[in-house]
Structure formats: structure tokens, C-alpha cells
């Protein structure tokens, strides 16, 4: 009930901001208001390192004077500050040049249905409880094996926020959401070989988090298996991206079909709509209405309704990722993606992780990527990597200090399989992805 009252109070504030903008001469306006609070606790070697209470609020307002646009923001929500912020946005708008593509979304695209997506699960853990959980997690990692030699610590984070947004087309909505996480990072040493690795769990509902002992054990296990890593000689071979690194491939693909890169003509997938960009078995789709998922939402950052839709089906690109502005620049309509995609999912295949290693047969398993190394214009791809060399479907030894390279256009077309070992800890949901052939630069 308390959330409901708070949302209504913030809605009233947003409405008053919009009224003020119109009063100051704006022909249209939109405003967003957020209030967030949380707790972060970190421990290291059994001692408390940091305890942070977060309490943030912010207001952003955008006004339009015809095709002129001005934006301003503040963290002070007093009536005088709000009025001043609106004045600042109006003042900017009066002096900016006209942009024929600017303006609020088309009214018919705004969300009108707001199902309960089960996003709000406050965690009443308190400081003492968070410390105890973090210590339990780190202790599990440190006691896992005698070669675990040191720790970078464990941390517990809990976050709750309310966001309300509205515009002068009559859209005014808000929702409460939570996000909780537990993570641990440790170091291991064998002879003169030293390695670090980590593990984490994140969820809307604390009950869906992995146990502290499980997170600690996984962090330790992942660290130990990297000991005595070596480099590889330069070669070409198949590459298997484990699930947590595979999301980066899909993220780069989304960047290439996002409005901003398309209208600037800085994408390697320019004019690729309705053409084959993946093998036929690949389907990639958005699922904004999944209950309790990290990327769920009934509307985007502009109030446009999100949609359950296929972005790729049968390997063919069916749609772009567009905000109102980028859609207008391209002569299209917003796809409800101002602020990004919503639970982007690549359909998993039949093979599990072990099955994919067998399918890889002999090649590289990538478990960590370093650096950006993606040229959006050409698709050229080159990133530092670490992982394992695999022969006959069995891991042979850990590998580091190598670079993997290819061209994203070819890499996406040459995906051999997608695993069913799906990583649900983010907005991109994918299993491990096997790419037919890439270049490895090593010794």
C-alpha cells in the first residue's frame, strides 16, 4: 500500500511539472522522476570493508517549443527547484535550432495496459544480515581449497526504486522494482601461477538468489581451474563462447540494428532488414512481459508500449531496435526500445554445456573477454580472451594472453549451435554459442 501511495504522490509531482512547462509556453513536455534506496555491504578476509546506504532521487524534464527541444535535470525536488528546472529546460529550448524529427512519441503508440510484472520484492535483510551473508559466501570460497590464497571480498547489494514518467499527451505511469545481488571474488596460487575469478547471482526476489555457499564455491572453483594457464600459438579454430560471454555477441548485434547507428550509417548491418544475418535455426525475440525478470517492462523510456516480437526468425532480420527519434530519422515507427531491449532471448538448442564441448571437439572455449574491440561500421571484431583449450570434447588446459578475431557479420552467420545452459542474470538471455571458425592470435 505504501508503494501505491508513493507512486501516486510522485505522479502528482510529475503532473505539476508538465503543467508548469505548458504554463511557461512549451507546446509539449515529458518528465521522469525516480526515488531509489538501497544497501551495499562488502567484506574482505572476514572483516567488514564498506557499508553504504543509498538514497537517491532525480528529476529529468524535456520540453518542446514546436520542433525546438530543451532538457534539464535536478536532484532537488522542492517546488522552487522544480520550477527553476522547468525554466532552464524552456530557456534551452528557445535557443536551440529546430529539428524536424524531435517531439513526443505518436499518441497511439503509448502504452495503455499495465499488467503486474512482479518486479517489486523488498528484501528486509538489514546491515547485520547482509554482513553475515557476505562472510558466509567468502568463507565458503576461502575454505574451498588450500590453493585459494587470498580474497578480493564478497558483497551483498539490495536496491529498491520507484520510477514515474508522464507527458503532455496524457501518459502518466509509475512502478516499483527491486534488484538484489551477491558476489564473491578470490585469488588462487600454485607455484608462481596466480589467478583470480569470481561468481555472482542477481534477482528481483532475494528468494531466487543462489545460496551464499554456492556462490562462494563457484567463485573458488572457477579460480582454481585457471591456474597454470598458458598462451596458444596463432591459429584458426572453432570457438565456443560460454553463456556469460555469449551475451556480448548478441549485445554487439543489437548495437548494429539500433536506430542511432543505422541513421548515422555507422553499422555493418545497414539495409539488412529482411535479409539472412544468422543461420536458419536462429530465433531472437523480446519478452517484455516475463514476470519477475530483470528486463521486463510494459513501456519504454518514452512511454511507448513494449512488444513481444521476433527480431530474428528463420535467421532473417525482421525488425530494428528503435526509439521515437531514430525511427523518424529512418522513416519508421518506434519499436518501444528507447532505453534498450527487454529480455532479449535467443532460443536455446538441444545441446547442454557438455554436449557443446563435444560438438566443438577441438578448439577454444572462451570464459572471459577483455577490451571493447568491436568496430560497428565494418563489423571487425578483436578482443583479448581467456578460457580453455579443448580436444576431443574434453578440456585440456587453461589459456590466457590471447586475442580472438573475426568479422561479426561472418561470425553471426557461422553460428553452429546455441546451448540450453541459459544465463538468466541479465537482460540478454542466452546459452553458450559455438562459432564455426575464428582467428586466434597468441605467441
Amino acid at each position: 500500500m505504501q508503494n501505491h501511495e508513493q507512486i501516486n504522490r510522485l505522479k502528482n509531482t510529475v503532473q505539476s511539472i508538465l503543467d508548469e512547462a505548458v504554463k511557461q509556453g512549451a507546446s509539449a513536455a515529458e518528465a521522469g522522476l525516480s526515488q531509489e534506496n538501497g544497501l551495499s555491504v562488502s567484506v574482505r578476509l572476514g572483516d567488514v570493508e564498506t557499508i553504504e546506504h543509498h538514497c537517491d532521487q532525480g528529476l529529468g524534464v524535456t520540453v518542446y517549443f514546436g520542433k525546438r527541444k530543451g532538457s534539464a535535470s535536478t536532484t532537488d525536488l522542492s517546488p522552487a527547484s522544480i520550477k527553476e528546472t522547468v525554466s532552464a529546460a524552456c530557456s534551452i529550448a528557445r535557443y536551440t535550432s529546430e529539428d524536424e524529427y524531435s517531439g513526443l512519441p505518436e499518441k497511439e503508440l503509448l502504452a495503455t495496459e499495465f499488467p503486474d510484472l512482479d518486479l517489486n520484492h523488498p528484501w528486509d535483510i538489514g546491515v547485520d544480515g547482509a554482513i553475515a551473508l557476505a562472510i558466509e559466501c567468502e568463507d565458503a570460497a576461502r575454505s574451498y581449497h588450500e590453493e585459494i590464497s587470498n580474497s578480493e571480498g564478497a558483497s551483498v547489494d539490495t536496491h529498491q526504486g520507484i520510477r514515474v514518467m508522464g507527458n503532455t499527451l496524457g501518459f502518466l505511469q509509475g512502478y516499483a522494482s527491486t534488484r538484489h545481488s551477491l558476489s564473491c571474488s578470490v585469488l588462487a596460487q600454485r607455484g608462481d601461477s596466480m589467478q583470480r575469478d569470481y561468481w555472482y547471482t542477481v534477482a528481483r526476489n532475494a528468494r531466487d538468489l543462489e545460496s551464499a555457499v554456492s556462490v562462494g564455491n563457484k567463485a573458488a572453483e572457477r579460480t582454481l581451474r585457471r591456474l597454470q594457464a598458458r598462451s596458444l600459438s596463432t591459429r584458426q579454430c572453432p570457438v565456443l563462447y560460454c553463456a556469460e560471454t555469449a551475451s556480448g555477441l548478441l549485445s554487439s548485434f543489437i548495437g548494429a540494428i539500433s536506430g542511432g547507428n543505422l541513421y548515422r550509417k555507422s553499422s555493418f548491418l545497414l539495409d539488412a532488414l529482411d535479409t539472412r544475418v544468422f543461420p536458419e535455426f536462429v530465433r531472437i525475440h523480446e519478452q517484455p512481459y516475463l514476470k519477475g525478470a530483470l528486463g521486463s517492462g510494459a513501456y519504454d523510456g518514452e512511454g511507448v508500449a513494449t512488444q513481444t516480437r521476433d527480431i530474428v526468425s528463420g535467421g532473417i532480420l525482421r525488425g530494428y531496435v528503435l526509439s521515437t527519434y531514430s525511427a523518424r530519422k529512418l522513416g519508421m515507427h518506434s519499436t518501444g526500445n528507447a532505453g534498450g531491449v527487454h529480455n532479449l532471448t535467443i532460443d536455446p538448442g538441444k545441446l547442454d554445456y557438455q554436449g557443446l564441448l563435444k560438438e566443438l571437439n577441438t578448439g577454444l572455449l572462451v570464459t572471459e573477454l577483455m577490451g571493447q574491440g568491436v568496430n560497428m561500421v565494418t563489423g571487425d571484431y578483436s578482443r583479448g580472451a581467456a578460457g580453455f583449450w579443448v580436444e576431443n570434447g574434453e578440456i585440456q588446459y587453461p589459456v590466457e594472453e590471447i586475442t580472438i578475431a573475426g568479422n561479426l557479420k561472418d561470425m553471426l552467420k557461422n553460428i553452429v549451435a546455441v546451448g540450453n545452459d541459459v544465463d538468466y542474470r541479465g537482460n540478454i538471455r542466452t546459452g553458450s554459442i559455438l562459432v564455426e571458425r575464428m582467428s586466434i592470435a597468441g605467441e
Side-chain angles (χ1 to χ4, degrees), residues 107-139:
K107 189 170 183 177
E108 64 272 16
L109 296 181
L110 295 173
T112 54
E113 291 178 22
F114 308 97
D116 178 7
L117 296 175
D118 196 32
L119 305 182
N120 190 45
H121 296 274
W123 189 13
D124 187 19
I125 186 172
V127 173
D128 291 343
I131 290 170
L133 195 66
I135 287 175
E136 182 188 4
C137 183
E138 192 194 36
D139 283 352

Side-chain angles (χ1 to χ4, degrees), residues 419-438:
N420 59 20
D421 54 335
V422 181
D423 185 357
Y424 294 104
R425 295 174 301 169
N427 192 23
I428 295 179
R429 303 153 81 92
T430 176
S432 300
I433 291 179
L434 176 56
V435 178
E436 187 176 22
R437 182 167 292 273
M438 289 182 69

Side-chain angles (χ1 to χ4, degrees), residues 144 213 249 397:
Y144 186 82
V213 170
L249 280 182
Y397 52 84

Side-chain angles (χ1 to χ4, degrees), residues 3-306:
N3 279 335
H4 190 63
E5 286 169 11
Q6 209 172 343
I7 289 170
N8 281 339
R9 197 168 67 246
L10 294 182
K11 277 185 178 179
N12 290 337
T13 305
V14 168
Q15 189 57 58
S16 69
I17 293 162
L18 298 172
D19 293 344
E20 179 63 32
V22 172
K23 195 169 136 191
Q24 291 193 28
S27 54
E30 59 192 345
L33 197 51
S34 67
Q35 287 191 337
E36 301 177 4
N37 60 72
L39 170 68
S40 299
V41 168
S42 66
V43 302
R44 182 171 175 270
L45 301 176
D47 292 328
V48 177
E49 283 229 305
T50 59
I51 298 170
E52 292 179 38
H53 288 277
H54 314 283
C55 195
D56 301 307
Q57 60 181 20
L59 153 70
V61 59
T62 297
V63 299
Y64 298 94
F65 282 65
K67 292 294 180 184
R68 291 189 171 94
K69 171 185 171 182
S71 297
S73 61
T74 181
T75 55
D76 178 357
L77 300 185
S78 66
S81 170
I82 286 173
K83 196 166 184 174
E84 208 174 292
T85 306
V86 173
S87 295
C90 290
S91 169
I92 292 164
R94 286 190 180 97
Y95 292 101
T96 54
S97 53
E98 290 197 359
D99 183 341
E100 61 178 304
Y101 304 105
S102 74
L104 297 178
E106 290 76 19
K107 189 170 183 177
E108 64 272 16
L109 296 181
L110 295 173
T112 54
E113 291 178 22
F114 308 97
D116 178 7
L117 296 175
D118 196 32
L119 305 182
N120 190 45
H121 296 274
W123 189 13
D124 187 19
I125 186 172
V127 173
D128 291 343
I131 290 170
L133 195 66
I135 287 175
E136 182 188 4
C137 183
E138 192 194 36
D139 283 352
R142 290 172 65 204
S143 61
Y144 186 82
H145 193 279
E146 62 192 16
E147 289 178 328
I148 297 292
S149 57
N150 207 335
S151 169
E152 291 187 341
S155 60
V156 172
D157 290 274
T158 171
H159 170 274
Q160 183 178 14
I162 289 179
R163 291 172 181 273
V164 170
M165 69 165 294
N167 62 33
T168 48
L169 296 173
F171 181 88
L172 185 59
Q173 274 302 316
Y175 64 94
S177 66
T178 51
R179 185 185 179 97
H180 316 294
S181 65
L182 170 63
S183 63
C184 182
S185 174
V186 288
L187 291 88
Q189 187 159 9
R190 182 184 303 152
D192 57 3
S193 170
M194 185 182 272
Q195 293 286 350
R196 67 168 284 284
D197 212 324
Y198 67 95
W199 191 248
Y200 72 96
T201 176
V202 57
R204 298 274 189 195
N205 189 333
R207 283 192 313 220
D208 296 329
L209 294 173
E210 290 176 47
S211 73
V213 170
S214 165
V215 171
N217 287 349
K218 274 191 195 169
E221 195 180 304
R222 286 165 60 87
T223 305
L224 290 165
R225 68 182 189 171
R226 292 180 66 160
L227 284 169
Q228 292 179 318
R230 35 185 140 147
S231 188
L232 289 171
S233 57
T234 296
R235 64 188 74 184
Q236 288 203 324
C237 66
V239 171
L240 176 60
Y241 285 83
C242 73
E244 55 261 32
T245 57
S247 60
L249 280 182
L250 295 186
S251 182
S252 296
F253 161 66
I254 291 299
I257 60 164
S258 290
N261 283 330
L262 293 169
Y263 78 69
R264 291 186 194 98
K265 302 200 181 307
S266 57
S267 164
F268 65 92
L269 288 178
L270 212 56
D271 303 321
L273 206 57
D274 300 321
T275 67
R276 186 177 302 291
V277 292
F278 283 90
E280 202 172 335
F281 68 85
V282 171
R283 176 184 177 227
I284 299 173
H285 52 115
E286 278 193 278
Q287 305 186 81
Y289 297 103
L290 287 179
K291 289 204 166 218
L294 291 166
S296 297
Y299 53 90
D300 72 356
E302 300 177 314
V304 172
T306 52

